[in-house]
Structure formats: C-alpha cells, structure tokens
Amino acid sequence: MTKQDLKRDIAQMTGSSMPSISEIARYLGVGRDTARGLVDGLDYYSAGRAKKYFAGDVAERILQQRGN
C-alpha cells in the first residue's frame, strides 16, 4: 500500500483529512496511548482541546513503523 492509498483510506474511514488521536486509534484498532506514540513529534492543529493531525503525515509514520 502506498502512502497516497493509505492517506486516502485514513481520510475516508475517519471522515476527515485531519483526524484526531481518537479517530486514528479507532482506524488502527489500537488504544489512544498507542496512537499517541505513533504521532509523537508530528505537527498538529489545535481545535479546542483536540489535536488534529494531517492524514498524510500519519500515513507516512505508519509506513515508517511498518518498515522497522
């Protein structure tokens, strides 16, 4: 799966091109703590109390983790 395919899948499954930690965790089927570890160090947009991450950055990080 390419980065573009994964980005599109994340956006489609979460309903947003900028998913929150909870949406990322639900997409991956993991806990929020695990999802936080995945996005640690990525740029985010603050929307109230939620942090929104760009789906492309999340996809890239997932592919990096998969490669290790």
Side-chain angles (χ1 to χ4, degrees):
M1 181 174 273
T2 66
K3 177 183 169 186
Q4 196 66 17
D5 292 336
L6 189 54
K7 175 186 166 188
R8 192 175 307 115
D9 192 45
I10 291 169
Q12 183 180 23
M13 295 296 283
T14 62
S16 173
S17 63
M18 295 202 62
S20 66
I21 290 286
S22 295
E23 292 168 332
I24 294 167
R26 195 174 316 120
Y27 171 76
L28 294 172
V30 298
R32 288 178 44 191
D33 289 337
T34 303
R36 272 192 204 102
L38 177 76
V39 299
D40 188 40
L42 294 180
D43 292 332
Y44 61 87
Y45 169 76
S46 292
R49 290 180 50 181
K51 293 179 180 177
K52 302 281 190 162
Y53 297 87
F54 182 60
D57 293 342
V58 175
E60 186 173 334
R61 184 62 61 90
I62 291 170
L63 291 174
Q64 287 175 351
Q65 293 290 324
R66 190 181 291 172
N68 288 339

